[in-house]
Amino acid sequence: MAEMLVINEIYQSLQGESTFAGLPCIFIRLTACDLRCSYCDTAYAFSEGEKKSLDEIRSEVLRLAAPFQTRRAASPNRPGAIVASNPVGRLPLVELTGGEPLLQKNSLPLMKLLCDDGFTVLLETSGAHDIAPVDARVRRIVDLKCPGSGEAARNRWENLSYLKSTDEIKFVVGTREDYDWVKQTIVAHHLDTICPLLVSWVHPLAPEQQDKSLKRVPAGQNPVSRQELAERIIADALPVRFQAQLHKVIWPPAERGV
């Protein structure tokens, strides 16, 4: 039987976050997540999806990537593989996101296939699951859940020992208490010596995004505005990259497939 994954959507857009922000990217959104972060904007991926084989997924990625092709690699082992012709590697990027991709074990061979094809592959993961089995060529973007998420207890701290300089750590900050936690965590674990650090501001959820299953922000926390967060990062000389979620600036924040 063919290896299968439950897929919510596959689409092409611009990468909205990470150090790759602004580059063309094909997103593979997998179904299911075992966390319920207070700010989650993709609750529709908790259960919506259909089964697809790894071959079907790869074929769709290659179809979407076709306009970017410059020349095909003559490889009898990897039909359709393409040689990179730009300094950032082959475009478009390919990102596995969710939901939580690592909940489905067949995400691992899919990432290997896409790396073999020559893509720069990104993995967005909650940080609650073991990243050690992920192909070493994949750029892993690993969340560290702040207290305001309601899921900070799920942080898998063991993952820090597996991170490489090509990986990235992401903090999603919605409160002043979150920001203070980020500062303390960076110092406590010397995170700025491991890999790039990303800080995203919690964009308010549209009414249609407010799923009843999401955790509530813990009592006693104080919301931080986007401007205040940026200004505090500057004032504290925090060694992080502030993210504004580019896709939510270009398109309506609740729009899917962008």
Side-chain angles (χ1 to χ4, degrees), residues 5-255:
L5 285 167
V6 184
I7 300 296
N8 176 270
E9 57 185 348
I10 301 176
Y11 62 93
Q12 185 168 287
S13 185
L14 296 180
Q15 178 58 242
E17 303 181 76
S18 80
T19 59
F20 294 91
L23 291 174
C25 184
I26 296 170
F27 293 88
I28 305 171
R29 187 178 303 284
L30 283 78
T31 299
C33 187
D34 55 343
L35 273 62
R36 292 293 183 268
C37 298
S38 60
Y39 47 74
C40 181
D41 57 3
T42 53
Y44 60 87
F46 291 164
S47 58
E48 296 178 15
E50 60 179 297
K51 289 185 177 180
K52 294 181 180 291
S53 70
L54 300 196
D55 285 343
E56 289 175 316
I57 297 166
R58 177 175 174 261
S59 293
E60 177 63 5
V61 169
L62 291 173
R63 184 189 70 81
L64 291 171
F68 291 85
Q69 295 180 11
T70 53
R71 60 192 179 94
R72 292 189 176 275
S75 171
N77 298 320
R78 300 301 308 153
I82 299 172
V83 175
S85 61
N86 61 75
V88 299
R90 176 183 174 182
L91 290 177
L93 309 167
V94 178
E95 176 175 296
L96 274 71
T97 185
E100 170 52 63
L102 295 181
L103 276 179
Q104 299 189 54
K105 65 179 182 179
N106 283 335
S107 65
L108 298 174
L110 175 62
M111 286 185 276
K112 182 181 185 302
L113 282 171
L114 295 170
C115 287
D116 289 346
D117 280 331
F119 287 107
T120 296
V121 178
L122 314 180
L123 168 68
E124 280 269 4
T125 179
S126 67
H129 297 274
D130 186 7
I131 65 170
V134 176
D135 191 292
R137 295 169 292 179
V138 173
R139 308 293 187 100
R140 300 169 297 189
I141 302 167
V142 181
D143 275 22
L144 282 179
K145 298 300 185 185
C146 299
S149 70
E151 294 284 19
R154 296 295 304 276
N155 285 324
R156 186 183 175 91
W157 294 102
E158 301 94 321
N159 279 335
L160 296 181
S161 64
Y162 300 124
L163 291 171
K164 309 186 300 296
S165 61
T166 53
D167 297 319
E168 303 180 11
I169 295 172
K170 183 174 76 172
F171 300 96
V172 181
V173 175
T175 68
R176 292 169 181 168
E177 290 74 18
D178 282 348
Y179 178 75
D180 292 338
W181 184 87
V182 169
K183 288 199 302 181
Q184 295 164 9
T185 301
I186 291 173
V187 172
H189 297 277
H190 308 286
L191 298 183
D192 57 320
T193 68
I194 299 174
C195 62
L197 307 178
L198 314 169
V199 170
S200 292
W201 176 68
V202 173
H203 198 288
L205 297 178
E208 63 268 31
Q209 295 176 306
Q210 295 173 2
D211 191 89
K212 293 181 180 179
S213 70
L214 301 183
K215 299 286 182 68
R216 294 186 177 276
V217 177
Q221 296 214 12
N222 300 282
V224 65
S225 70
R226 180 166 47 193
Q227 179 176 329
E228 180 184 353
L229 176 57
E231 290 174 347
R232 291 190 68 173
I233 288 172
I234 295 168
D236 292 338
L238 207 63
V240 302
R241 176 188 295 260
F242 179 80
Q243 300 190 131
Q245 291 187 291
L246 183 61
H247 50 292
K248 292 184 179 179
V249 176
I250 300 172
W251 294 281
E255 188 164 335

